Amino acid sequence: NSKVIQTPRYLVKGQGQKAKMRCIPEKGHPVVFWYQQNKNNEFKFLINFQNQEVLQQIDMTEKRFSAECPSNSPCSLEIQSSEAGDSALYLCASSLLGGRYAEQFFGPGTRLTVL
Amino acid sequence: GEQVEQRPPHLSVREGDSAVIICTYTDPNSYYFFWYKQEPGAGLQLLMKVFSSTEINEGQGFTVLLNKKDKQLSLNLTAAHPGDSAVYFCAVTPSSSGQKLVFGQGTILKVYL
């Protein structure tokens, strides 16, 4: 069973408000991923880190989303100004290796509702 | 980029019957393949990973087959039970993706008594 911890489990924000969620990867996993799962079960990769450094991110992440994985602190994903279309389940995953064969273990997600 | 087509979107089977879910992908150089299970209100639980050219992996109550020639990945629940009711996703690591996963559209499986 995955030991990735995500908080909060549920988050409700008004449009224009900031929304921040956190992730603690499995112990010893240096790579962290953030995905967005919408109500149609479509997944969108947002960003990933190896230790504290960004490996890849999409354009959406660069504009309204910010993420970090500081040393000795939970990773976080923050939406600066929430929009209705951001309502989704945000999943954090971690993997053991930085290489391409490492499986990703997922947390339970943070369900964001933007009113 | 890589596209993953998962079928069927919905599947309803009687307890004890088999259930088959198939994913077809487009990138012939995709190299790592996964099946995940998602129960209501939960994250994704890794069921199985495969990466050989043609591989059959068996887990508890299911079999996974990878056929790279046909670019197909399948999950076969051999004798479904109500606890198998969930949404199932295949996921692929394409050659061009770095490490990020490309997911299928999901299959909602319901097992009834």
Side-chain angles (χ1 to χ4, degrees):
Chain A
N1 288 333
S2 173
K3 298 177 181 62
V4 176
I5 299 171
Q6 287 189 251
T7 57
R9 292 294 307 277
Y10 301 91
L11 194 54
V12 180
K13 294 291 178 181
Q15 294 196 48
Q17 290 186 320
K18 285 186 182 181
K20 188 168 185 175
M21 54 204 85
R22 292 175 177 82
C23 170
I24 300 175
E26 285 206 27
K27 191 174 181 180
H29 284 194
V31 186
V32 174
F33 303 79
W34 286 99
Y35 293 89
Q36 180 196 63
Q37 181 185 8
N38 69 18
K39 63 179 181 180
N40 296 320
N41 284 332
E42 295 163 335
F43 289 81
K44 181 181 290 184
F45 165 83
L46 299 177
I47 192 168
N48 65 343
F49 294 83
Q50 183 163 344
N51 297 314
Q52 292 80 52
E53 295 196 12
V54 175
L55 293 178
Q56 294 173 289
Q57 61 182 326
I58 65 169
D59 288 346
M60 180 180 79
T61 314
E62 291 171 5
K63 290 173 183 171
R64 289 190 303 112
F65 288 58
S66 62
E68 59 177 2
C69 272
S71 177
N72 298 319
S73 292
C75 297
S76 65
L77 176 68
E78 184 171 31
I79 306 172
Q80 303 303 321
S81 178
S82 302
E83 299 174 356
D86 297 330
S87 295
L89 182 67
Y90 288 83
L91 291 163
C92 174
S94 69
S95 70
L96 185 59
L97 301 169
R100 48 181 57 182
Y101 292 101
E103 57 263 40
Q104 296 175 29
F105 295 92
F106 285 80
T110 292
R111 184 165 297 283
L112 172 65
T113 302
V114 182
L115 302 174
Chain B
E2 170 76 285
Q3 293 182 43
V4 180
E5 189 76 18
Q6 183 173 340
R7 289 286 181 266
H10 295 88
L11 188 54
S12 185
V13 300
R14 189 185 299 273
E15 184 180 22
D17 286 351
S18 64
V20 180
I21 305 170
I22 295 175
C23 286
T24 304
Y25 59 94
T26 55
D27 181 353
N29 295 315
S30 293
Y31 46 82
Y32 215 18
F33 307 84
F34 305 87
W35 282 102
Y36 286 94
K37 175 183 180 183
Q38 187 175 39
E39 294 177 289
L44 300 174
Q45 175 192 348
L46 178 66
L47 288 179
M48 186 64 74
K49 60 184 186 234
V50 293
F51 61 87
S52 295
S53 56
T54 302
E55 182 170 339
I56 299 175
N57 276 8
E58 293 185 5
Q60 265 191 321
F62 59 88
T63 303
V64 169
L65 172 64
L66 172 64
N67 184 335
K68 281 196 167 183
K69 175 177 171 292
D70 294 334
K71 297 195 289 291
Q72 264 193 359
L73 175 69
S74 66
L75 172 68
N76 183 351
L77 283 84
T78 48
H81 56 84
D84 292 328
S85 296
V87 185
Y88 291 82
F89 295 95
C90 61
V92 175
T93 309
S95 58
S96 60
S97 77
Q99 300 167 80
K100 60 182 181 286
L101 296 174
V102 176
F103 287 86
Q105 296 82 5
T107 296
I108 300 172
L109 172 66
K110 292 184 180 174
V111 182
Y112 58 92
L113 298 173

